[in-house]
Amino acid sequence: MNDPLLKQSILRRTGRVSALALGVLTLSAGCATSQGPGAEAAPSGASPGAGAEPAQTNLLKASDFDDNKSLPWTTSFTAPGAGSAEVKNGAYCVTVTNKGSNNWDAQFRHREMVIQKGHSYTLQYKAWASSPTKARPKVGMAGPPYEEYWSDTVVLETSPKTYTGKFSMAKADDPTAELAFHIGGEMASAKEPFEVCIDDIRLDDPEFRSSAPAADAAAAPKIAVNQVGYLPGATKIASVSNAATAPLAWELLDASGKAVSRGQTRVFGKDGASGDHVHLIDFTAFNAPGQGYVLKVGDEKSFPFDIGAGIYQKLKYDALAYFYHNRSGIEIKMPYAGKPELARPAGHLQDKSTKCLQGSGCDYALDASRGWYDAGDHGKYVVNGGISVWTLLNWYERTKHLGASSADFADGKLSIPEGKNGVPDLLDEARWELEFLMGMQVPEGKPLAGMVHHKMHDDAWTGLGLAPHEDKMTRSLHKPSTAATLNVAAVGAQCARIWKPVDAAFSARCQKSAERAWAAAKQNPTLYAPPGGDKGGGPYDDTDVKDEFYWAAAELFLTTGKPEYKQYVQSSPLNARFPVEVDGVASSMNWKVTDALGQISMAIVPGNVDAAWQQQLRGRIVKAADQYLAIADKEGYRTLVQRTPAGKYEWGSNSFVLNNMLVVALAHDVTKQQKYLDGVVLGMDYLLGRNPLGQSYVTGYGDRPLENPHHRFWAHQANSKYPKAPPGAVSGGPNSSLQDPHVQSAGLKGCVAQRCFVDHIEAWSVNEITINWNAPFAWVTGFLDEKAKK
């Protein structure tokens, strides 16, 4: 896997199936009958009378695959198991390229069904394989402890056969059961690669009556708008999907339906990122505050939206609340949690004494408690924590030196337990992660003293529907890395200068940690995290750390003024330009490419950087912002990210939009030019619904908000005992590579870039959420709210 963004979250599986077959029930062995490819089995549950309609007793939501889709059937491969699936000629076919060592290392499954105590079930399906091989169907729990209610082992042949099995449920109701087929490990007798296909599959319960099929989500309105609203005094653009080649008349209606503005669309034409023929509505001149405005073109209407200066006032706090909700090692409680269902006991208290992973070469334990859970799982990663902390602390420094909203993030402004402690709440939140980052540093007297462990996480993948305090998996420290060490050097230095007037002792501790880390990294400049999908966590590997060295030296110079750091920065080739490309994407930074962070800090913070040098740095930022505005001009949905040369959106495409918005916002800070404020607005418009899907990529905001991000605890879609996500979390968004089984089964193959998305908890390659995406989201929402008040 060479995609660095993929490696942020790769293989965040929802758990593997246990080999235990617990609680075997009243069971009949599976049997098979030969059937030709065109033969049809009588559906289970059918009445014996001639011509009778079958009872609607089938629990499965996809029994055949004639529509070329397979959801909710998906694959699950546990390393080294590997393969893929697709619908072929109306059958669901799974290709296994590595069968792994366990039966469950290669499997496909159907979830989203209820198995009820006392009910009897009949399974019937048609199956075959490219070469004779065994398969093990089972009905059981979808998560730990993976108790099984029924299982069977069958031999698949190269011609389709129909297999059946029966069981009665003796256990308590299971509202989130799965039907899975294990086809890996030693059980699989076929030589890789081999293919297994199923069709005409039913799981019938005579006492079950299916409800009417859920209606598909309503099509997105043809007029796409920011579903939250627009700021007076800033650009107001809507995108219209319409094949007309001539301008169209538009109206802006108020809440009563009265037309308050009119005009003609501008024909943009074919938009490659969406596949739409696009018109643009520009109603910038209309500034009257109000609620419930609607744009109308012919018979088409947009979602309603507001115009007002306060539209981002709450959102900026919700975006920051994401970090409190994802704290490790502390109870999340009311009133800070917002809703009782979001409260939970402290998670992973065992992190206070975290031992090294077996074979990693250390013999000690560290206090790796505190910190934020990185993303949808419970791992904590230094290199992702570093850029996330930097972004929040950069916002603090930006408001102090270039902005006017420091008071909005002062003591008592956020809903966190540290309110009223005399420290700005934004710093309190960042400190929770800083404590973790510095706690990952190798102690004095130990090999590699001063270096920083790359990450810590569960030793194996856990399943969805798992609160942090419920996670009993062993967690381990992984080897130190140069990249992690330089992250701590950079944010430690940033911490030292910010906390100096706030908490001198903590400032001194941060500086000591930072300088120890710098010295250790200089001694160990090529200690890289290993690539590949680790069990229980993503790799976050990085074999080019010149940018981390530059970033750390810049932050240390800003804090200390020491000549050695200044000389390092000025002699680095990276000092000659501001980056505008990250791994083939037009952007300036991500967790892996960080030299822009050092330049941004030097462009903002006065003192050790002389005026001429600082002016040069600011000019580079403005030049980069101009490039991002030029991208938006060429996009039908006016976003600040473009497709790769291959025509794709990469993993976390929304994060590139956000980081580009941050750069454009800084250009406005130093130039005061309206076009840069408008550029930030355009990026936010895209995230909040002005896109071809009509999808707000933010939970709790818009007429079509994000509902089901990939997250262990905010897992209501997977298990109703867990809560839905709170407002203010931003999704990674469209991703052309479609790496997870859910999107691969959703009929999205070949999707146009901006349409490669589905809002589902299992869709981790498009719908995960992370700290390093919500951090710039909090930054830019704070920026827009500040500008609205002027």
Side-chain angles (χ1 to χ4, degrees), residues 12 14 376 464 708-712 761-762 764 767-769:
R12 286 199 170 105
T14 54
L464 289 172
N708 302 299
H710 180 79
H711 194 269
R712 292 293 186 277
I761 193 169
E762 299 272 11
W764 40 265
N767 206 30
E768 193 157 21
I769 48 181

Side-chain angles (χ1 to χ4, degrees), residues 282-363:
D282 187 339
F283 59 111
T284 302
F286 187 86
N287 289 308
Q291 297 179 328
Y293 288 110
V294 170
L295 282 166
K296 184 174 185 289
V297 175
D299 294 330
E300 297 286 345
K301 290 184 177 180
S302 71
F303 282 130
F305 56 87
D306 299 343
I307 296 176
I311 58 174
Y312 298 119
Q313 187 170 359
K314 184 176 184 296
L315 179 53
K316 69 181 181 184
Y317 292 127
D318 285 340
L320 285 171
Y322 177 96
F323 297 93
Y324 172 69
H325 282 289
N326 283 284
R327 285 188 189 185
S328 173
I330 187 175
E331 179 187 2
I332 305 304
K333 60 185 179 181
M334 293 296 291
Y336 315 112
K339 294 182 179 179
E341 59 265 29
L342 293 166
R344 57 173 173 79
H348 298 100
L349 294 176
Q350 68 270 33
D351 289 357
K352 290 182 179 180
S353 181
T354 308
K355 296 180 180 179
C356 293
L357 185 69
Q358 186 175 3
S360 62
C362 73
D363 61 357

Side-chain angles (χ1 to χ4, degrees), residues 91-102:
Y92 183 58
C93 295
V94 179
T95 298
V96 178
T97 56
N98 188 324
K99 60 188 178 183
S101 55
N102 301 300

Side-chain angles (χ1 to χ4, degrees), residues 446-459:
K446 297 294 184 179
L448 300 176
M451 294 292 283
V452 176
H453 287 269
H454 194 71
K455 58 180 182 172
M456 69 86 58
H457 54 65
D458 292 332
D459 287 356

Side-chain angles (χ1 to χ4, degrees), residues 33-319:
T33 57
S34 295
Q35 290 217 310
E40 296 294 334
S44 183
S47 301
E53 291 292 328
Q56 298 301 309
T57 60
N58 184 11
L59 275 66
L60 304 182
K61 297 180 180 179
S63 289
D64 61 48
F65 309 96
D66 295 339
D67 61 358
N68 208 39
K69 296 179 182 180
S70 56
L71 286 179
W73 289 96
T74 61
T75 59
S76 177
F77 294 97
T78 302
S84 60
E86 63 179 310
V87 176
K88 292 184 178 181
N89 301 317
Y92 183 58
C93 295
V94 179
T95 298
V96 178
T97 56
N98 188 324
K99 60 188 178 183
S101 55
N102 301 300
N103 295 346
W104 56 82
D105 286 351
Q107 61 174 291
F108 55 95
R109 62 201 184 191
H110 180 298
R111 291 179 167 177
E112 306 179 17
M113 59 187 185
V114 181
I115 301 297
Q116 294 177 274
K117 182 176 182 179
H119 288 210
S120 296
Y121 296 87
T122 300
L123 176 67
Q124 180 173 286
Y125 58 97
K126 187 189 299 182
W128 63 98
S130 58
S131 299
T133 190
K134 291 181 180 179
R136 184 177 183 272
K138 70 99 181 178
V139 177
M141 291 181 176
Y146 300 106
E147 183 173 356
E148 295 183 357
Y149 312 132
W150 171 85
S151 67
D152 190 16
T153 299
V154 297
V155 177
L156 305 181
E157 300 181 8
T158 55
S159 297
K161 289 189 176 182
T162 296
Y163 301 82
T164 62
K166 296 181 179 182
F167 69 95
S168 295
M169 179 63 166
K171 301 289 184 178
D173 289 2
D174 185 344
T176 58
E178 69 174 8
L179 165 61
F181 285 76
H182 298 172
I183 54 175
E186 295 181 357
M187 177 188 66
S189 54
K191 183 179 179 180
E192 303 110 318
F194 63 90
E195 183 179 72
V196 171
C197 299
I198 61 166
D199 197 4
D200 299 333
I201 181 166
R202 300 178 60 90
L203 180 60
D204 284 286
D205 170 6
E207 298 181 65
F208 172 77
R209 292 296 181 271
S210 63
S211 57
D216 291 338
K222 297 293 186 182
I223 307 172
V225 297
N226 181 326
Q227 295 166 22
V228 172
Y230 294 86
L231 296 174
T235 191
K236 301 176 189 67
I237 302 291
S239 297
V240 183
S241 176
N242 192 295
T245 56
L248 302 169
W250 61 263
E251 292 182 314
L252 177 64
L253 310 179
D254 65 15
S256 70
K258 176 185 176 182
V260 293
S261 185
R262 293 182 173 87
Q264 294 282 312
T265 63
R266 178 170 73 82
V267 181
F268 174 86
K270 183 71 172 180
D271 175 49
S274 66
D276 294 343
H277 187 272
V278 176
H279 292 232
L280 298 173
I281 296 174
D282 187 339
F283 59 111
T284 302
F286 187 86
N287 289 308
Q291 297 179 328
Y293 288 110
V294 170
L295 282 166
K296 184 174 185 289
V297 175
D299 294 330
E300 297 286 345
K301 290 184 177 180
S302 71
F303 282 130
F305 56 87
D306 299 343
I307 296 176
I311 58 174
Y312 298 119
Q313 187 170 359
K314 184 176 184 296
L315 179 53
K316 69 181 181 184
Y317 292 127
D318 285 340

